[in-house]
Amino acid sequence: MTTLELLPRPKDAAPWRNRSKSLLTKIALASVLPVVLAIAIGKAFGIPGPITLLLVFLPLQLLASGLAALSTRGKRGVADSQLNVAVLFATTFVAIMLGSVLFSVVSFGLNAISPHFAYQNNVYVTSTTSLEYGGAGHALLGTVLVVGLAALIAVPVGIAVAVYLTETRGRFRGPVRFFAQSMSGLPSIVAGLFIFAVFVSTGISRPAGWLASSALVLLMLPTVIRMSEEVLKLVPGDLRSAALALGAPQRKAFFLVIMPAAKTGLVTAILLGIARIVGETAPLLLTMRVNPNTNVNVFSGDMSTLPTYIFAFLTAGFDTGRARSWAAAFLLLAVVGLIFGTARAISAKSIKK
Amino acid sequence: MNLQTQNSNIAVMDADSHLEARNIHVWFKERHVLSDVSLHFPTNSVTALIGPSGCGKSTFIRTLNRMHELIPGAGLAGSVYLDNEDIYAAGVDPVTIRLRVGMVFQKPNPFPTMTIKGNVLAGLRLSNRRTRDEDELVESCLNRASLWNEVKDRLDAPAGSLSGGQQQRLCIARSLALAPEVLLMDEPCSALDPGSTRRIEETIRELSSDMTVVIVTHNMQQAQRVSDQTAFFLAEEGQPGHVVEFGSTDNLFSSPNDPRTEDYVNGRFG
């Protein structure tokens, strides 16, 4: 018997990538010509850039790709090419928008940010204070406390409701699902006004962190419920049957089999819930106002969070205020990135034992 | 239909019933899908349930460990006796029944978030029970499911890394860990290759030394190879499924009493 030799993989071991010269020429023409023509037309008629891009370049590109596709792949290729161009154009547009937002936040934010910005408060900050003093430390702390308290309530309740909707045959599933869905359409300022009307107007409590958290719970709950429900629905019925056939009580089957299977999705549900509320401003201004000083007691006294800090300094009307707002925006972005990154890392960690 | 013949067939096997279904009727919503099924399963016997698709075999087997009631809209009349106790009597906890009557499903369904070892021990953990020596239990269960040699070096690998046939044997091992008295198998080999099928059949023969086994199968040869007695289910057009003939496997295949049974086991329909 002869032994087979192990061959190294050749560089071109992908025949499906081979393209004929004429096709390559057509692709090159279809990619370059519209750009050149659009620039020429734009310049010749003095059309502003964005309008050239949308009304001259896009139709030209569609036409060129369509013709190239027609000559190489026939009618079916045309539809494909048109969609490809449209999708790529839209994607690029969105990517540029997102990039520009990130770029502004980072570049403006870096002007005013320094280590002390993350831990000092701004009690003595006025329009004439230099950027070397004061910071958003109190607002950062406020964000963590207020959002944390809201998540502490909304996550267990939200997941419990989702479990009720998916794992039981409760009689009120219909109404509960309906109310959860209706709640997701609640404008955030209305949630704030509701809490204000119930607690502040009636004199039960002065504005305080826990009122803000309550308003945020109203906003976070529907997101957590709906996402968790969708995620739990995706767990195969096979697994439920398997667990129950092994003589597991429903509670055990949920905690040991269904929840682990849905873990990644549940983490995403929680993250989306937090993302929904971490940038909220309006309900917080109503329910706990703003405070230049550090306040760690969520049950008494005014507090600031990063979004309300940004709002307060943006509307203050002086240059260092605007700089501080950008720096706080940068800080908020970093916090959100940190939360999401950690959660992703936790949920991606492979299951041991 | 000749009830007399049926009953005489049943009478042969009547001694020492471990599990017995009496006059089982099943409905889904208002639809009557299974009519008057009475079968009994002697201790340590292997019973094959055969019949064309949609005749109620799987539905019937799920009534034997109270998995049936988990399907929305399910209805049931009749009784199932396990060691002379009605498992549908008021106050009987289905969880205790399912611990005594294990089940292996048609599609392998190991828990994907657990390791191979974790899957074998899952039943214990799910039912809050302990064992003195986990490793010994894992080895003995995997051995009885004839999977041990293939996985002994990677017990901590995720269960999803096994092939389909191995996953099914893992599911059998998982059921065995609870030491059930009865094992229900719903077409356990329908998704498997001949090699895995042969090994599972060997497993079934070995298990029957101390366990009552009920197996749904579409494979006549398999029914003949593994079972002591066979029930032939049929659902004729517009009628609910019912048992046409029930008796020892040898008799049912070699000299069936009902012409429909003869046609079916000889592959003339279904």
Side-chain angles (χ1 to χ4, degrees):
Chain A
M1 200 174 92
T2 53
T3 47
L4 289 172
E5 198 188 340
L6 289 171
L7 295 172
R9 185 193 154 117
K11 280 222 168 66
D12 58 347
W16 51 88
R17 294 229 181 90
N18 291 345
R19 285 175 172 151
S20 69
K21 270 227 169 89
S22 69
L23 178 61
L24 286 174
T25 325
K26 280 172 191 163
I27 293 175
L29 278 178
S31 342
V32 176
L33 269 183
V35 181
V36 177
L37 271 175
I39 293 176
I41 293 174
K43 282 263 183 295
F45 295 95
I47 308 168
I51 294 177
T52 315
L53 196 66
L54 196 67
L55 295 183
V56 182
F57 168 72
L58 185 58
L60 275 175
Q61 181 65 65
L62 283 171
L63 186 71
S65 310
L67 287 175
L70 190 67
S71 68
T72 52
R73 288 184 294 162
K75 252 189 188 167
R76 212 164 53 88
V78 176
D80 184 39
S81 73
Q82 301 300 288
L83 272 176
N84 256 327
V85 169
V87 167
L88 261 174
F89 189 80
T91 308
T92 316
F93 182 72
V94 171
I96 290 172
M97 291 301 230
L98 193 64
S100 102
V101 168
L102 274 175
F103 179 78
S104 340
V105 170
V106 172
S107 64
F108 286 115
L110 285 179
N111 285 338
I113 207 154
S114 48
H116 72 255
F117 189 82
Y119 60 81
Q120 287 184 357
N121 61 32
N122 64 346
V123 183
Y124 304 110
V125 173
T126 62
S127 56
T128 53
T129 316
S130 118
L131 287 172
E132 282 161 41
Y133 303 99
H138 63 300
L140 180 61
L141 191 68
T143 295
V144 172
L145 288 174
V146 169
V147 172
L149 181 63
L152 210 62
I153 301 164
V155 168
V157 173
I159 292 181
V161 172
V163 167
Y164 174 74
L165 292 177
T166 55
E167 305 297 316
T168 74
R169 296 201 203 153
R171 202 170 305 161
F172 302 107
R173 282 181 304 167
V176 168
R177 190 176 286 123
F178 173 75
F179 283 121
Q181 282 180 5
S182 324
M183 258 174 84
S184 61
L186 186 73
S188 61
I189 185 108
V190 175
L193 278 170
F194 170 70
I195 296 293
F196 185 87
V198 170
F199 292 100
V200 182
S201 303
T202 54
I204 293 173
S205 167
R206 297 188 42 74
W210 71 278
L211 293 183
S213 295
S214 311
L216 293 182
V217 165
L218 296 179
L219 298 170
M220 186 173 174
L221 259 182
T223 312
V224 176
I225 292 172
R226 294 202 52 188
M227 277 296 299
S228 309
E229 189 195 353
E230 294 304 321
V231 163
L232 289 173
K233 266 200 237 157
L234 287 180
V235 175
D238 273 4
L239 290 184
R240 281 189 189 93
S241 301
L244 295 175
L246 285 171
Q250 222 186 0
R251 172 180 55 87
K252 284 256 170 190
F254 177 75
F255 282 113
L256 292 179
V257 174
I258 296 163
M259 201 171 81
K263 197 177 91 177
T264 322
L266 289 177
V267 170
T268 309
I270 296 169
L271 285 183
L272 285 179
I274 290 178
R276 168 83 177 81
I277 61 168
V278 77
E280 277 304 340
T281 318
L284 304 188
L285 291 173
L286 282 168
T287 50
M288 64 175 197
R289 302 190 291 216
V290 290
N291 185 349
N293 206 343
T294 313
N295 176 10
V296 293
N297 186 355
V298 288
F299 294 102
S300 152
D302 295 352
M303 281 174 97
S304 274
T305 63
L306 288 171
T308 57
Y309 178 97
I310 295 169
F311 174 79
F313 272 102
L314 265 186
T315 50
F318 49 85
D319 285 342
T320 53
R322 273 186 287 278
R324 285 171 199 278
S325 286
W326 280 112
F330 178 78
L331 206 56
L332 184 58
L333 215 64
V335 169
V336 171
L338 198 69
I339 297 175
F340 278 37
T342 331
R344 276 273 160 257
I346 293 171
S347 71
K349 215 163 66 180
S350 64
I351 310 103
K352 285 279 159 193
K353 207 181 159 193
Chain B
M1 178 192 345
N2 190 343
L3 273 172
Q4 205 61 44
T5 335
Q6 251 195 6
N7 286 338
S8 70
N9 273 334
I10 293 165
V12 180
M13 318 293 291
D14 213 12
D16 191 21
S17 267
H18 185 193
L19 182 68
E20 186 180 347
R22 276 190 214 156
N23 311 108
I24 292 288
H25 292 261
V26 169
W27 292 264
F28 285 124
K29 298 264 171 64
E30 298 306 316
R31 198 162 55 92
H32 194 189
V33 295
L34 201 56
S35 172
D36 200 24
V37 177
S38 297
L39 297 176
H40 30 210
F41 311 96
T43 308
N44 299 350
S45 64
V46 178
T47 306
L49 311 181
I50 60 169
S53 294
C55 65
K57 308 179 298 290
S58 299
T59 301
F60 172 70
I61 206 173
R62 290 172 71 95
T63 64
L64 298 177
N65 68 342
R66 296 194 59 172
M67 288 296 284
H68 172 61
E69 66 211 55
L70 296 175
I71 302 167
L76 179 98
S79 23
V80 176
Y81 291 90
L82 179 62
D83 285 334
N84 294 317
E85 284 171 65
D86 187 355
I87 67 170
Y88 283 101
V92 174
D93 184 355
V95 167
T96 61
I97 299 302
R98 291 176 201 144
L99 285 170
R100 293 171 66 191
V101 184
M103 186 164 200
V104 175
F105 295 80
Q106 180 173 2
K107 232 174 77 189
N109 54 2
F111 299 130
T113 55
M114 297 182 195
T115 62
I116 294 173
K117 185 178 167 184
N119 262 278
V120 178
L121 296 171
L124 291 179
R125 217 170 294 154
L126 284 167
S127 56
N128 242 346
R129 293 202 278 186
R130 297 270 179 281
T131 176
R132 266 182 296 126
D133 191 346
E134 290 194 345
D135 292 334
E136 192 192 305
L137 181 76
V138 169
E139 181 173 350
S140 79
C141 291
L142 287 172
N143 248 324
R144 291 174 78 193
S146 57
L147 185 62
W148 174 253
N149 286 329
E150 290 158 61
V151 300
K152 63 184 171 197
D153 299 322
R154 47 176 179 143
L155 291 174
D156 289 322
S161 66
L162 297 174
S163 77
Q166 290 172 326
Q167 289 189 8
Q168 190 64 307
R169 277 177 280 148
L170 179 62
C171 292
I172 295 177
R174 183 174 67 186
S175 304
L176 297 180
L178 289 165
E181 302 161 31
V182 180
L183 189 61
L184 310 175
M185 304 177 106
D186 187 358
E187 293 183 48
C189 303
S190 66
L192 305 186
D193 66 288
S196 304
T197 303
R198 185 174 49 78
R199 250 165 300 178
I200 287 181
E201 286 178 10
E202 284 163 10
T203 304
I204 295 172
R205 287 309 327 173
E206 282 159 29
L207 293 177
S208 66
S209 61
D210 63 351
M211 207 175 275
T212 305
V213 178
V214 183
I215 175 172
V216 171
T217 178
H218 275 131
N219 181 329
M220 306 295 164
Q221 286 75 34
Q222 182 170 65
Q224 291 184 64
R225 283 192 297 261
V226 301
S227 69
D228 305 307
Q229 49 175 12
T230 300
F232 172 50
F233 282 69
L234 188 62
E236 277 142 315
E237 212 178 313
Q239 286 183 30
H242 62 283
V243 173
V244 171
E245 190 163 348
F246 177 45
S248 82
T249 301
D250 290 343
N251 278 341
L252 193 127
F253 279 94
S254 60
S255 50
N257 286 315
D258 194 294
R260 289 170 298 180
T261 314
E262 192 173 353
D263 285 351
Y264 186 73
V265 299
N266 290 315
R268 280 198 278 275
F269 79 89

